[in-house]
Amino acid sequence: MLQRLLSHDLPRSRWLALALIVILAGLFLTPFIFPGSKSLNVAAKILIFMVLVASYDLLLGYTGIVSFAHTMFFGIGAYGVAIASSRMGAGWDALAVGIVCALALSLVLSFVIGLFSLRVKAIFYAMITLAVASAFQTLASQLSEITGGEDGLTFRMPEWLSPSFEPFENEFFGVLIDGRIISYYGLFLLTLLLLGLMLRIVNSPFGRVLQAIRENDFRAEAIGYRTVVYRTLSNVLSALFATLAGAMLAVWLRYNGPDTSLSFEIMLDILLIVVIGGMGTIYGAVVGAVLFVLAQNYLQDLMRLGEGAVGGIPVVSELVSPDRWLLWLGVLFVLCVYHFPSGIVGRLRQRALQQAPRT
């Protein structure tokens, strides 16, 4: 049963399996074992980035395509929900219309970009996608009547997803269930569904062809596969999953703006997470998203504690200052890449493969 759920793509490493179980249990129990709005927001961001990074790995890790337009589709999903909800009001119909329209727009744009741009190679396609993403971000900032401009859009969600909605009078294991908790578990279930669907795609015959194109597109085309068609389909699927991730972000924040979903910094975060977790594996997106988002949100707090412990030492106290948390985040990234050149998941699987004959 478990093999069918994971599309016969098991972790193949005891440590990786243990890490995935801990991550799944931790995210499921976050509202109960880590009370507070910050921990819930961090857990929700982890779920959203899992889907977003896994969707990008369909392009980079499985097909070998470098694209800088992924945040554009992420923003389309967020703006679809935001525009529909702000104009139609809080309701499930507005949410459905926003998601469907966003998916339709992403489908058309990703198909056009893939059809006309994937015929060029390597860096040229990356530059084209970067130009398209930059133009879309500028357009979203200038169309203030539709997108809210730089201020963005604030909107309301259906009653069940509203923080004021409290279906139960009594607390459940010490936590009062409200619309915020319901929204979180909705994101949790949707993340599991989308990750399972992506696992099924990459382990299907279609996914095997994508991996063949990644390894050697000339040989794949020589044996009869139309590589442009498969690359375009991979681009479309990746865009649709990124659009759903953007919709998840808008539902959780109940706000969207250019810096929230279209910023190039998000694209850099996606690339870092893919490298940390490991390319060419959906599990890498899960592990990388957890480590990166936790470091991004709690490293500064840890450094604040360290600053208090070494407050009397002049040079050391400056180095561990919370204002320099980005410096240490960069150091951690360099160390991670140095010790795990194939990503954490790739390294764990390599170790398991080396130890298999001995056992």
Side-chain angles (χ1 to χ4, degrees), residues 45-57:
K45 186 177 180 181
I46 289 174
L47 294 173
I48 294 168
F49 265 83
M50 282 181 181
V51 178
L52 180 61
V53 175
S55 66
Y56 186 70
D57 202 35

Side-chain angles (χ1 to χ4, degrees), residues 3 12 22 51 53 106 130 158 172 177 192 195 213 253 257 285 326:
Q3 288 195 2
R12 287 177 282 175
V22 171
V51 178
V53 175
S106 293
L130 178 61
F172 186 73
I177 304 299
L192 292 181
L195 290 178
I213 293 173
L253 295 180
L326 279 175

